[in-house]
Amino acid sequence: DSGVTQTPKHLITATGQRVTLRCSPRSGDLSVYWYQQSLDQGLQFLIHYYNGEERAKGNILERFSAQQFPDLHSELNLSSLELGDSALYFCASSPIVRTNTGELFFGEGSRLTVL
Amino acid sequence: AQSVTQLDSQVPVFEEAPVELRCNYSSSVSVYLFWYVQYPNQGLQLLLKYLSGSTLVKGINGFEAEFNKSQTSFHLRKPSVHISDTAEYFCAVSGGNFNKFYFGSGTKLNVKP
């Protein structure tokens, strides 16, 4: 158990809909990273938040947005869903900068299926 | 910009044989390198990492990797694999501030009895 919790574990929805994925990082970790894992694209970096502020963006679509709340949990919002958005979405956390040794702690993922 | 290339998408190997999973990276700045393992229906977990110092790093479960700056490689090795090593392995690279981690496309290791 990595200590990172993601909900829901599975989600089935229709094209055009909007979903929210939630991530609770390990206790004390200030950084949250979101990744999308699909069969054809591998593990794609989406976005990184540190203590509530956006630190870095990757290949995140404009239809997707994220935020990190004061209690450090994070949400990834996916809207106007398309079939190609079907994937496993991972959240990972890491400690504060001065003690960070680069290790990411991954949750078990949220599997999104768009029909 | 940084990127990672894993040259083999699948590696079949017999139990107790040695294995090498290849990883090459590209970066214009100093990098930190990582190998993660993903078992079925689980998240990724860290096997080992190179931040600085000795270029040969040892990780969990008997794995080791060698950082080769001149060849921009970070290949993962194990002298004798077990059935339980069957999983997907990901190489990753990050810059000094850990703002982004870029992962390779993964190598599926299939250990056969």
Side-chain angles (χ1 to χ4, degrees):
Chain A
D1 183 6
S2 67
V4 178
T5 304
Q6 289 188 248
T7 56
K9 291 193 185 308
H10 301 275
L11 190 54
I12 301 175
T13 189
T15 55
Q17 295 299 304
R18 171 190 166 94
V19 299
T20 297
L21 309 180
R22 181 187 170 104
C23 169
S24 294
R26 292 187 325 154
S27 177
D29 284 357
L30 299 184
S31 270
V32 170
Y33 303 77
W34 284 99
Y35 284 86
Q36 179 193 58
Q37 185 179 37
S38 58
L39 287 175
D40 57 343
Q41 300 243 359
L43 202 62
Q44 295 287 313
F45 167 65
L46 296 178
I47 199 163
H48 168 207
Y49 275 86
Y50 178 81
N51 202 21
E53 294 187 1
E54 182 185 302
R55 272 293 178 96
K57 263 187 176 179
N59 300 322
I60 188 166
L61 300 172
E62 285 192 12
R63 301 183 285 109
F64 295 2
S65 64
Q67 54 184 325
Q68 187 179 27
F69 295 86
D71 67 352
L72 302 177
H73 90 272
S74 178
E75 293 181 356
L76 179 66
N77 300 295
L78 315 175
S79 62
S80 302
L81 286 168
E82 301 175 359
L83 296 178
D85 298 327
S86 295
L88 191 53
Y89 290 84
F90 282 108
C91 162
S93 74
S94 69
I96 61 175
V97 173
R98 70 171 182 271
T99 62
N100 196 341
T101 61
E103 180 172 1
L104 296 179
F105 296 87
F106 281 82
E108 294 190 350
S110 292
R111 183 170 295 281
L112 173 67
T113 302
V114 182
L115 300 176
Chain B
Q2 298 156 344
S3 67
V4 175
T5 302
Q6 290 184 243
L7 299 166
D8 306 299
S9 60
Q10 298 196 44
V11 173
V13 63
F14 287 106
E15 194 173 19
E16 297 183 7
V19 70
E20 178 179 84
L21 306 184
R22 297 180 293 169
C23 171
N24 286 89
Y25 69 92
S26 66
S27 175
S28 57
V29 297
S30 296
V31 295
Y32 299 137
L33 294 157
F34 308 83
W35 275 99
Y36 281 82
V37 60
Q38 184 181 29
Y39 298 103
N41 301 314
Q42 294 186 26
L44 283 72
Q45 54 184 285
L46 183 69
L47 268 181
L48 49 79
K49 61 188 173 189
Y50 172 78
L51 301 182
S52 64
S54 172
T55 57
L56 182 64
V57 292
K58 295 186 184 298
I60 62 172
N61 301 338
F63 283 93
E64 62 181 33
E66 185 155 19
F67 170 58
N68 188 319
K69 189 174 181 179
S70 62
Q71 296 188 7
T72 61
S73 67
F74 190 56
H75 300 332
L76 181 70
R77 302 184 183 101
K78 186 168 183 178
S80 175
V81 295
H82 303 290
I83 297 288
S84 59
D85 293 323
T86 294
E88 190 160 17
Y89 293 79
F90 292 89
C91 183
V93 63
S94 181
N97 55 17
F98 301 129
N99 276 336
K100 299 182 182 183
F101 289 77
Y102 290 101
F103 285 79
S105 53
T107 298
K108 290 184 179 177
L109 177 64
N110 184 15
V111 182
K112 305 176 182 180

